[in-house]
Amino acid sequence: MVHSEADHSVFYRHSIQGCVYLIVYVDDIVIPGSDQQGILQLKQHLSNQFQTKDLGKLRYFLGIEVAQSKDGLVISQRKYAMNILEETCLLNAKPADTPMDPSVKLLPNQGEPLSDSGRYRRLVGKLNYLTVTRPDISFAVSVVSQFLYSPCQEHMDVVVRILRYIKRALGKGLVYEDKGHTQIVGYPDADWVGSPIGRRSTSGYCVLVGGNLISWKSKKQNIVARSSVEAEYRAMAMATCELIWLKKLLKELQIEKQDQ
């Protein structure tokens, strides 16, 4: 196996029989590929060297549920989201149509400080992991993540709003299917001085491979942009870095084609 230079958790091997990929996260492993015999040999090698357990076809990985069919696959975190709602006693709460009210502008020391700030931090941390399959809550979660040090009741109200929005569609996730091409497309954007804290802008982007969403981000910029053009260029630069990295990874895995 060859160690990927673009992603240190990925190993790969190419041969005339096909390809084998080894993806590692601590002690959890996924082995996809087109060389079925090579996959069996790799599993046997790992079993001989380490104490491993073959769980069969991929259905659940690090809290992410995977449903596969001949048309493609779907990933979601339904069980993970339901556990959060059970923990917060919001399973019977009224669903919200949006993750955040656009007219709400959160500020530090806004209202009564929470008596249990640890609970706020735990919930925001879990919501951050939920964005792995829920890009629709990325911006709202990035906003409430700014108040981990000293959260107030108004900040917790927004967290509850996000949870009520999640309840509307617990099984919502991402669909991946063959759309007949492997083009890489990125869409950057910026919210100029959208944050009332320090008047900084927010960069955001999403990247699609073959028409399927595979990468996205929403993050406050490090400096104050002096114009909307500067804010947009900074967002574009962040998206370009992601595209360069992704193209390098796909080239290593021999997925790259001329139409990109």
Side-chain angles (χ1 to χ4, degrees), residues 116-222:
D116 185 4
S117 59
R119 180 170 178 264
Y120 178 90
R121 286 190 282 269
R122 286 193 298 273
L123 283 175
V124 173
K126 291 180 178 181
L127 287 174
N128 263 304
Y129 188 64
L130 191 57
T131 61
V132 170
T133 59
R134 296 292 299 266
D136 52 329
I137 66 171
S138 292
F139 175 74
V141 173
S142 71
V143 172
V144 295
S145 297
Q146 300 172 33
F147 307 99
L148 298 177
Y149 178 70
S150 181
C152 299
Q153 186 57 50
E154 281 74 5
H155 308 145
M156 179 60 83
D157 291 342
V158 176
V159 171
V160 172
R161 168 73 176 253
I162 298 172
L163 293 171
R164 288 173 49 224
Y165 170 75
I166 291 169
K167 182 182 181 297
R168 175 168 289 279
L170 280 173
K172 183 180 286 188
L174 297 172
V175 179
Y176 296 95
E177 55 188 354
D178 185 1
K179 292 182 170 62
H181 66 88
T182 58
Q183 289 182 340
I184 301 177
V185 181
Y187 298 98
D189 198 4
D191 175 19
W192 185 43
V193 295
S195 172
I197 308 172
R199 307 301 291 168
R200 286 187 287 172
S201 308
T202 299
S203 295
Y205 68 78
C206 64
V207 178
L208 297 91
V209 176
N212 298 295
L213 181 65
I214 57 96
S215 178
W216 57 90
K217 194 170 189 177
S218 176
K219 182 181 180 181
K220 187 187 291 185
Q221 295 181 1
N222 294 327

Side-chain angles (χ1 to χ4, degrees), residues 188-190 202-205 221 230-240:
D189 198 4
T202 299
S203 295
Y205 68 78
Q221 295 181 1
E230 181 182 347
E232 295 285 357
Y233 269 114
R234 290 187 176 276
M236 186 170 63
M238 185 172 71
T240 301

Side-chain angles (χ1 to χ4, degrees), residues 97-106 139-140 143 158 161 191 194 196:
D97 294 327
T98 58
M100 187 175 179
D101 186 344
S103 64
V104 172
K105 300 294 183 182
L106 296 183
F139 175 74
V143 172
V158 176
R161 168 73 176 253
D191 175 19

Side-chain angles (χ1 to χ4, degrees), residues 2-260:
V2 179
H3 196 185
S4 169
E5 294 184 1
D7 191 326
H8 295 299
S9 64
V10 176
F11 299 79
Y12 60 90
R13 185 179 69 200
H14 300 290
S15 65
I16 58 174
Q17 287 78 25
C19 57
V20 178
Y21 304 116
L22 177 68
I23 304 166
V24 183
Y25 184 83
V26 190
D27 59 350
D28 293 290
I29 298 173
V30 177
I31 307 177
S34 58
D35 181 4
Q36 297 304 315
Q37 186 60 34
I39 291 176
L40 291 175
Q41 291 174 353
L42 177 57
K43 286 182 178 180
Q44 186 60 49
H45 174 73
L46 292 173
S47 179
N48 293 337
Q49 299 296 322
F50 308 99
Q51 185 178 350
T52 61
K53 183 177 180 181
D54 187 355
L55 300 179
K57 192 174 182 179
L58 181 62
R59 293 185 176 87
Y60 196 77
F61 184 70
L62 301 177
I64 301 171
E65 299 165 56
V66 182
Q68 303 182 55
S69 72
K70 62 179 181 180
D71 299 319
L73 62 87
V74 178
I75 63 172
S76 66
Q77 293 168 280
R78 185 180 186 279
K79 185 177 183 298
Y80 182 80
M82 186 174 292
N83 290 341
I84 299 176
L85 293 177
E86 286 179 346
E87 176 189 334
T88 54
C89 301
L90 291 173
L91 275 176
N92 297 320
K94 181 181 179 182
D97 294 327
T98 58
M100 187 175 179
D101 186 344
S103 64
V104 172
K105 300 294 183 182
L106 296 183
L107 297 167
N109 304 317
Q110 189 176 21
E112 190 70 22
L114 291 176
S115 58
D116 185 4
S117 59
R119 180 170 178 264
Y120 178 90
R121 286 190 282 269
R122 286 193 298 273
L123 283 175
V124 173
K126 291 180 178 181
L127 287 174
N128 263 304
Y129 188 64
L130 191 57
T131 61
V132 170
T133 59
R134 296 292 299 266
D136 52 329
I137 66 171
S138 292
F139 175 74
V141 173
S142 71
V143 172
V144 295
S145 297
Q146 300 172 33
F147 307 99
L148 298 177
Y149 178 70
S150 181
C152 299
Q153 186 57 50
E154 281 74 5
H155 308 145
M156 179 60 83
D157 291 342
V158 176
V159 171
V160 172
R161 168 73 176 253
I162 298 172
L163 293 171
R164 288 173 49 224
Y165 170 75
I166 291 169
K167 182 182 181 297
R168 175 168 289 279
L170 280 173
K172 183 180 286 188
L174 297 172
V175 179
Y176 296 95
E177 55 188 354
D178 185 1
K179 292 182 170 62
H181 66 88
T182 58
Q183 289 182 340
I184 301 177
V185 181
Y187 298 98
D189 198 4
D191 175 19
W192 185 43
V193 295
S195 172
I197 308 172
R199 307 301 291 168
R200 286 187 287 172
S201 308
T202 299
S203 295
Y205 68 78
C206 64
V207 178
L208 297 91
V209 176
N212 298 295
L213 181 65
I214 57 96
S215 178
W216 57 90
K217 194 170 189 177
S218 176
K219 182 181 180 181
K220 187 187 291 185
Q221 295 181 1
N222 294 327
I223 68 166
V224 177
R226 291 171 290 184
S227 68
S228 60
V229 174
E230 181 182 347
E232 295 285 357
Y233 269 114
R234 290 187 176 276
M236 186 170 63
M238 185 172 71
T240 301
C241 291
E242 181 74 4
L243 288 167
I244 292 172
W245 168 80
L246 181 61
K247 192 173 178 95
K248 181 179 179 181
L249 176 63
L250 294 180
K251 185 175 182 179
E252 277 191 312
L253 303 182
Q254 295 188 9
I255 301 175
E256 185 185 48
K257 291 188 177 181
Q258 295 300 319
D259 57 355
Q260 295 176 353

